[in-house]
């Protein structure tokens, strides 16, 4: 039998702890799409839920420090995109994920795709400042790649007309929204490069939602801009809108109107040069910040894995579970006690003197009733027997014989006279009739 001190023999606690470390260290951050079910938010402020699809499910926890940043209230049945790390709840050995951020599936999916493509292209060096082409100081011709009916084209033409009416403009119309927009924009950039008519290109459109601007976040547009031999200014949306095209382009303009100002001459060429340098510096800072942010995220992830807060979060989750178990145990105990009290009350009621007195009173009433019935039956029977005896006595009574016309003769001593020898002349005799009697003297 192997010794219990053998390092190859695990305890359950040690096994679960090492499996948790493997999950957290090896898998890192994952993005997950699923449907919410079994959502609960106990008083501790943490969220517990299950994410599922048509064939599987996984338990999740989102702690109070992270769920404060969620802008909506999760509901059962809602599709969401979460950023999470894998873990194991050691007390039960349950595999789970710890959610760090949560978004509705539509917005979250686009944002995730944006971040993934940005990090991949940045890793390839497509955002490097060394690849940026310098804009011509005095463009001979400007190309505009946008919708021919959009507000962006109108704004660009208005600015160029005001600042430099003599500057030639070539419009390469394209669609800037929808599923085919990315290919259309890439084809327009390729067309402008093959025709080589312009010194600089403005690529963009007016503002809109993330979905409206999504065509400028496609990889085909990014790589086409990077491969362009003509310097490109990205002018997509408003100043707050940022797309992948902005990072790849040689220059980013906050608006289409600002892009037109960058390529047009005015009375102050120094200002244009300053603006260009300023935008280059801005792009360099953006690129530097993107690199630093990526490095910070990696360091933050490494730090998070060692952070005491993770252990505290696990203990909080365990506390929530123990609180729930305690509540359920107390409820069961109270139910058992209430049931016992109810049974004792029932037994007490069965043994109550009042109830026994009531039962005996009822029994007494029944006995009295039975006694009365018995007395009535005995009286009735006696009456019947008396009537039969009276009738029988009447049948043999001398009076009955007298009533039929017969009579009885007695001497003065009351003796019944049966023969004539019993009387003497001059003796008084009494003859009894049915009604009355007759006194006679014997002659």
């Amino acid at each position: 039998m192997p010794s219990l001190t053998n390092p190859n023999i695990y305890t359950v606690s040690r096994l679960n702890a090492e499996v948790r470390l493997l999950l957290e260290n090896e898998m890192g951050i994952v993005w997950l799409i699923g449907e919410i079910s079994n959502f609960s938010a106990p008083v501790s402020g943490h969220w517990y839920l299950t994410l599922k699809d048509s064939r599987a499910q996984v338990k999740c926890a989102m702690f109070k420090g992270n769920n404060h940043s969620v802008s909506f209230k999760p509901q059962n049945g809602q599709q969401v995109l979460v950023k999470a790390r894998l873990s194991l709840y050691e007390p039960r050995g349950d595999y789970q994920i710890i959610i760090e951020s949560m978004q509705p599936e539509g917005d979250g999916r686009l944002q995730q795709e944006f971040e993934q493509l940005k990090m991949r292209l940045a890793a390839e060096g497509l955002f490097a400042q060394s690849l940026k082409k310098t804009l011509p100081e005095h463009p001979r011709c400007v190309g505009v790649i946008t919708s021919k009916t959009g507000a962006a084209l109108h704004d660009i033409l208005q600015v160029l007309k005001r600042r430099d009416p003599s500057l030639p403009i070539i419009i390469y119309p394209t669609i800037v929204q929808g599923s085919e927009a990315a290919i259309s924009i890439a084809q327009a950039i390729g067309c402008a490069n093959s025709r080589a008519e312009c010194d600089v290109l403005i690529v963009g459109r007016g503002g809109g939602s993330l979905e409206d601007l999504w065509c400028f976040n496609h990889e085909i547009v990014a790589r086409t801009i990077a491969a362009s031999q003509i310097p490109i200014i990205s002018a997509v949306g408003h100043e707050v809108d940022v797309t992948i095209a902005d990072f790849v382009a040689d220059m980013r303009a906050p608006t289409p109107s600002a892009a037109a100002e960058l390529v047009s001459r005015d009375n102050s060429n120094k200002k244009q040069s300053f603006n260009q340098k300023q935008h280059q510096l801005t792009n360099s800072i953006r690129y530097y910040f993107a690199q630093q942010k990526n490095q910070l995220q990696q360091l933050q992830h490494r730090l998070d894995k060692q952070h005491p807060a993770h252990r505290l979060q696990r203990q909080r989750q365990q506390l929530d579970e123990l609180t729930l178990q305690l509540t359920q145990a107390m409820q069961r105990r109270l139910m058992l006690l209430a049931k016992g009290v109810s049974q004792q009350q029932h037994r007490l009621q069965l043994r109550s003197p009042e109830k026994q007195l009531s039962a005996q009173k009822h029994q007494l009433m029944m006995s009295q009733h039975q006694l009365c019935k018995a007395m009535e039956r005995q009286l009735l029977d006696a009456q019947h027997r008396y009537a039969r005896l009276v009738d029988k006595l009447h049948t043999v009574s001398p009076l009955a014989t007298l009533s039929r016309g017969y009579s009885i003769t007695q001497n003065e001593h009351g003796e019944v006279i049966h023969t004539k020898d019993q009387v003497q002349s001059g003796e008084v005799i009494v003859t009894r009739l049915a009604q009355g009697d007759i006194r006679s003297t014997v002659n």
Side-chain angles (χ1 to χ4, degrees):
M1 180 176 179
S3 172
L4 294 179
T5 59
N6 189 334
N8 294 323
I9 299 178
Y10 286 77
T11 64
V12 176
S13 300
R14 178 186 165 202
L15 175 65
N16 284 356
E18 294 200 13
V19 171
R20 178 182 61 80
L21 290 175
L22 282 173
L23 285 173
E24 293 179 351
N25 294 335
E26 296 298 325
M27 292 296 296
I29 297 296
V30 296
W31 291 87
L32 188 66
I33 290 177
E35 177 186 329
I36 295 176
S37 65
N38 301 324
F39 177 81
S40 65
V43 294
S44 62
H46 310 314
W47 291 351
Y48 302 102
L49 57 128
T50 300
L51 283 181
K52 66 178 183 178
D53 57 20
S54 59
R55 293 183 296 176
Q57 63 181 19
V58 61
K59 293 182 178 180
C60 311
M62 189 172 193
F63 298 110
K64 182 167 58 175
N66 291 326
N67 62 34
H68 280 169
S69 61
V70 179
S71 59
F72 63 97
K73 180 67 174 179
Q75 302 290 334
N76 288 331
Q78 184 176 14
Q79 290 282 339
V80 293
L81 171 73
V82 300
K83 176 184 176 184
R85 53 186 175 83
L86 272 68
S87 185
L88 184 85
Y89 184 54
E90 294 180 36
R92 285 200 310 267
D94 286 347
Y95 150 68
Q96 66 177 6
I97 63 172
I98 308 300
I99 300 175
E100 297 184 355
S101 66
M102 179 186 296
Q103 297 172 315
E105 180 187 3
D107 295 342
R109 190 193 296 269
L110 293 180
Q111 189 65 35
Q112 180 197 17
E113 292 178 5
F114 176 86
E115 294 293 338
Q116 289 177 342
L117 180 59
K118 185 177 76 171
M119 293 179 64
R120 183 155 55 86
L121 296 182
E124 293 182 23
L126 263 68
F127 302 162
Q129 192 61 35
S130 59
L131 299 180
K132 307 296 183 185
K133 294 178 283 294
T134 304
L135 299 184
E137 292 188 6
H138 303 288
R140 293 172 298 170
C141 182
V142 175
V144 180
I145 298 177
T146 188
S147 171
K148 62 182 178 180
T149 60
L153 179 60
H154 177 267
D155 294 342
I156 291 172
L157 295 179
Q158 285 291 103
V159 172
L160 294 179
K161 181 179 179 181
R162 173 173 53 82
R163 290 171 57 86
D164 194 355
S166 63
L167 181 62
I169 303 169
I170 298 178
I171 301 172
Y172 300 92
T174 181
I175 55 177
V176 291
Q177 184 173 334
S179 58
E180 299 179 358
I183 296 177
S184 178
I185 294 169
Q187 290 175 343
I189 296 173
C191 177
N193 276 269
S194 63
R195 289 166 58 174
E197 301 166 314
C198 306
D199 301 312
V200 64
L201 293 174
I202 298 175
V203 179
R205 57 156 287 164
S209 65
L210 181 62
E211 291 84 354
D212 295 338
L213 306 180
W214 192 248
C215 56
F216 293 94
N217 290 321
H218 274 265
E219 184 174 359
I220 186 173
V221 174
R223 295 195 180 278
T224 304
I225 291 175
S228 173
Q229 298 300 313
I230 303 173
I232 292 180
I233 300 174
S234 175
V236 181
H238 304 299
E239 187 170 359
V240 295
D241 298 321
V242 179
T243 65
I244 298 295
D246 296 334
F247 293 104
V248 183
D250 301 295
M251 178 73 68
R252 176 187 182 265
T255 62
S257 298
E261 292 183 0
L262 287 174
V263 299
S264 59
R265 294 183 292 268
D266 61 8
N267 295 330
S268 178
N269 289 331
K270 291 183 179 180
K271 182 178 179 181
Q272 179 180 353
S273 177
F274 173 78
N275 288 338
Q276 181 176 350
K277 297 298 183 183
Q278 184 182 31
H279 283 287
Q280 289 177 346
L281 178 61
T282 301
N283 286 338
S284 297
I285 292 174
R286 288 178 183 274
Y287 176 67
Y288 174 76
F289 280 164
Q291 286 184 320
Q292 293 299 312
K293 183 179 180 181
N294 186 31
Q295 185 177 1
L296 177 62
Q297 289 177 344
Q298 293 176 352
L299 293 174
Q300 184 68 42
H301 178 62
R302 291 173 56 188
L303 179 62
D304 286 344
K305 287 191 282 189
Q306 307 298 328
H307 202 286
H310 287 172
R311 183 177 179 183
L312 184 60
Q313 287 174 348
R314 291 192 298 272
Q315 291 175 344
R316 286 174 178 170
Q317 181 177 358
Q318 188 174 7
L319 177 61
D320 284 339
E321 180 170 334
L322 292 175
T323 301
L324 178 61
Q325 292 176 356
L326 177 61
T327 301
Q328 292 173 344
M330 291 176 63
Q331 290 175 346
R332 288 194 297 269
R333 180 62 177 167
L334 289 174
M335 289 177 63
L336 288 174
L337 290 175
K339 185 177 180 181
V341 170
S342 178
Q343 290 175 346
Q344 293 296 334
Q345 287 179 340
H346 180 65
R347 293 173 61 186
L348 182 60
Q349 288 175 355
L350 293 178
R351 297 177 180 273
S352 172
E354 181 180 358
K355 197 159 189 177
Q356 291 182 358
L357 184 60
S358 177
Q360 292 175 356
K361 185 177 180 181
H362 178 71
Q363 183 66 31
L364 177 60
M365 291 176 63
M366 294 293 294
S367 298
Q368 287 178 338
H369 181 70
Q370 291 174 357
L371 178 60
C372 290
K373 288 290 186 181
M375 290 175 65
E376 288 177 357
R377 285 195 301 272
Q378 288 184 0
L379 181 59
L380 185 61
D381 291 342
Q383 289 175 343
H384 288 168
R385 287 196 303 272
Y386 174 74
R388 287 196 300 271
L389 291 174
V390 169
D391 186 60
K392 190 174 182 181
L393 180 61
H394 180 71
T395 302
V396 297
S397 173
L399 297 178
T401 303
L402 296 177
S403 64
R404 293 196 297 271
Y406 293 95
S407 64
I408 299 174
T409 303
Q410 297 173 318
N411 59 25
E412 291 180 336
H413 302 293
E415 296 174 351
V416 178
I417 298 173
H418 299 285
T419 64
K420 65 181 183 170
D421 294 333
Q422 290 180 266
V423 296
Q424 295 178 4
S425 177
E427 186 178 351
V428 178
I429 58 175
V430 179
T431 302
R432 296 191 63 180
L433 304 175
Q435 294 183 356
D437 53 22
I438 299 173
R439 297 180 70 85
S440 303
T441 301
V442 177
N443 293 321

